[in-house]
Amino acid sequence: MQLYLPIADLPVNVFLVLAMGAAVGFVSGMFGIGGGFLMTPLLIFIGIAPAVAVASVASHIAASSFSGAISYWRRRAIDPALATVLLCGGVTGTALGVWTFTQLRALGQLDLMIALSYVVLLTTVGSLMFSEGLRAMMRTRRGAVPPRRTHSWIHGLPLKMRFKRSKIYLSVIPVVVVGIIIGFIGAIMGIGGGFILVPIMIYLLRVPTSTVIGTSMILTLVTMLFATMLHAVTNHLVDAVLALILMVGGVTGAQFGARAGQKIRGEQLRLLLGLLILAVGLRFAVELVIRPEDLFTIREIGVTG
């Protein structure tokens, strides 16, 4: 069944978009991430202009993060102080990202920049996560003890603050910087950034895993909601019809994904997630090398549509 998308300015198969939403929802539920890194490329691959895909997926991620954030709040698995400091940087980064998004769109370079960003970011992060997951699996099979974590220069920075829920004493400087980076990337690429934020908080900031996911969801919720509002007001690119279809599919798939994720070991999850992220990045790289004319066609639609 075909349905016309008013902002994207093209008809799409409703069942195909629902299936995409369900598939990404399943992945999100399994790995505990927003899924924007997968949804945005899928929409681009079926012909949605990258600018519309980024703006519309932001609302989908915000809606998905809302239910998850409530669940973690009830379980007291969110650090309010840490989330507040992250949001100070996140909101700033989101505003800067939307401004950059608007300027690149006006110059006609937005879609190419989105594609290049996905290639660089996803192949890098995917490779790192895959290698780390593989090493963890090998250690588990050998029965080796994981390497002991040591404090880095980050923990020697000034302006320290005690985050009681997470039981850490840390400078607010790296926390704000991380928030700015995640907000900026999310606004330009249409991703919640959870697959980047969670490893940074665990391995660099040494935040306990008990509060990492819930706290990251608060940042994702607020920054993606803010990005949606800014995109709607400044660029008029949020396709509400598309976002609604994706939400319906995403909520359904997430329920099954959460159950599947509970049956897989942590290192196996990291390995699979790394493979998935790497595969999406390589797919974008293939598009850029083999069919660059498709990107230029989409770019014209994104600028004039």
Side-chain angles (χ1 to χ4, degrees):
M1 183 176 67
Q2 297 289 319
L3 179 67
Y4 181 75
L5 301 178
I7 303 299
D9 193 26
L10 83 165
V12 296
N13 188 306
V14 176
F15 298 110
L16 174 61
V17 178
L18 276 173
M20 288 168 51
V24 174
F26 182 86
V27 172
S28 300
M30 177 180 286
F31 297 113
I33 56 177
F37 75 94
L38 183 58
M39 180 58 75
T40 302
L42 286 176
L43 291 177
I44 295 173
F45 293 154
I46 67 170
I48 304 293
V52 177
V54 168
S56 301
V57 168
S59 60
H60 168 66
I61 297 173
S64 301
S65 301
F66 180 71
S67 59
I70 291 178
S71 175
Y72 280 99
W73 180 267
R74 289 174 177 171
R75 292 186 302 187
R76 297 178 62 83
I78 293 176
D79 190 322
L82 182 59
T84 301
V85 178
L86 277 170
L87 285 172
C88 290
V91 171
T92 303
T94 301
L96 181 61
V98 172
W99 178 83
T100 305
F101 181 100
T102 304
Q103 298 303 312
L104 289 172
R105 184 168 180 251
L107 294 172
Q109 300 298 319
L110 175 63
D111 298 342
L112 184 59
M113 181 59 66
I114 290 174
L116 289 173
S117 298
Y118 266 100
V119 170
V120 174
L121 180 65
L122 297 188
T123 52
T124 301
V125 174
S127 299
L128 291 174
M129 292 189 69
F130 175 76
S131 60
E132 194 278 331
L134 188 60
R135 287 196 299 270
M137 287 183 64
M138 294 177 65
R139 284 197 302 267
T140 301
R141 290 183 178 181
R142 293 196 306 264
V145 179
R148 186 177 180 182
R149 297 177 185 176
T150 57
H151 289 296
S152 63
W153 60 270
I154 292 178
H155 295 80
L157 294 174
L159 300 177
K160 289 189 175 182
M161 177 177 175
R162 194 172 300 280
F163 300 99
K164 296 182 179 179
R165 185 69 60 84
S166 297
K167 299 178 181 179
I168 57 175
Y169 187 54
L170 181 69
S171 169
V172 299
I173 296 175
V175 180
V176 172
V177 171
V178 168
I180 291 174
I181 294 173
I182 297 299
F184 182 82
I185 292 175
I188 290 183
M189 299 178 63
I191 57 177
F195 69 97
I196 305 173
L197 178 61
V198 171
I200 288 178
M201 292 177 68
I202 292 176
Y203 296 112
L204 291 183
L205 303 185
R206 300 291 188 261
V207 180
T209 55
S210 59
T211 58
V212 161
I213 296 179
T215 305
S216 70
M217 279 191 172
I218 293 294
L219 178 66
T220 299
L221 169 62
V222 177
T223 54
M224 288 295 96
L225 186 61
F226 188 44
T228 300
M229 294 171 57
L230 291 179
H231 280 306
V233 173
T234 60
N235 298 308
H236 310 289
L237 291 173
V238 179
D239 196 309
V241 177
L242 175 61
L244 181 60
I245 298 173
L246 293 176
M247 288 177 195
V248 173
V251 170
T252 304
Q255 305 301 316
F256 296 96
R259 296 174 187 174
Q262 294 173 357
K263 301 177 182 179
I264 305 177
R265 297 174 62 91
E267 61 271 15
Q268 294 175 332
L269 280 175
R270 293 196 298 273
L271 182 68
L272 291 173
L273 181 58
L275 275 174
L276 183 61
I277 294 173
L278 183 59
V280 176
L282 292 176
R283 177 70 167 81
F284 253 113
V286 170
E287 287 290 322
L288 281 173
V289 173
I290 297 180
R291 297 192 299 174
E293 69 278 0
D294 289 354
L295 289 175
F296 288 105
T297 302
I298 294 175
R299 185 178 65 190
E300 293 301 320
I301 296 173
V303 174
T304 60

